[in-house]
Amino acid sequence: QGQLMESGGGLVQAGGSLRLSCAASGSTVSFTSMGWYRQVLGQQREMVAVIRRDGSTIYQDSVKGRFTISRDNAKNTVYLEMNSLKPEDTAVYICNAFIGEYVPFYPWGQGTQVTVSS
């Protein structure tokens, strides 16, 4: 089935920026979309941004205008550029690739921690 490799998390001050990347490997499946979710301990996982194969995007309202998702279809890699970060953006960010209508292809992994200090 392959795996996802996430990178780019870390600690940043409010107003700062981070760039996350996620590469899907070991599969020849053509994913309909790829995206980033985030989860805070004790809370449900929530969608942050999704990009479809045609390049169209969906964003959570709270990140619109601050986050940008992009994708390299040839490399099965998705990126999340996060600017003007806020303490409420602190979470574990988890990526996945989807087939069909947002059916996760990989098991949800442990993600990468993003911590925004005030």
Side-chain angles (χ1 to χ4, degrees):
Q1 186 179 24
Q3 61 180 354
L4 293 166
M5 294 186 64
E6 300 148 327
S7 62
L11 172 64
V12 65
Q13 287 188 330
S17 300
L18 284 173
R19 185 175 190 249
L20 308 182
S21 64
C22 173
S25 64
S27 172
T28 59
V29 172
S30 178
F31 304 119
T32 55
S33 59
M34 298 184 74
W36 288 94
Y37 284 62
R38 66 188 180 188
Q39 188 167 23
V40 175
L41 188 63
Q43 298 183 17
Q44 283 192 326
R45 185 171 55 235
E46 61 180 13
M47 187 275 290
V48 177
V50 171
I51 183 167
R52 301 186 184 94
R53 191 166 185 82
D54 64 3
S56 60
T57 56
I58 304 171
Y59 291 95
Q60 182 189 114
D61 285 347
S62 68
V63 307
K64 286 180 180 177
R66 300 188 297 121
F67 291 11
T68 302
I69 189 169
S70 59
R71 176 178 174 177
D72 185 331
N73 288 334
K75 296 180 179 180
N76 271 343
T77 299
V78 63
Y79 306 95
L80 186 67
E81 185 76 33
M82 304 185 293
N83 298 313
S84 301
L85 282 161
K86 303 176 181 179
E88 51 263 43
D89 294 318
T90 295
V92 174
Y93 284 70
I94 314 161
C95 74
N96 214 325
F98 303 93
I99 56 176
E101 197 66 26
Y102 301 114
V103 177
F105 182 76
Y106 296 93
W108 290 100
Q110 294 186 342
T112 184
Q113 177 70 45
V114 170
T115 302
V116 185
S117 63
S118 57

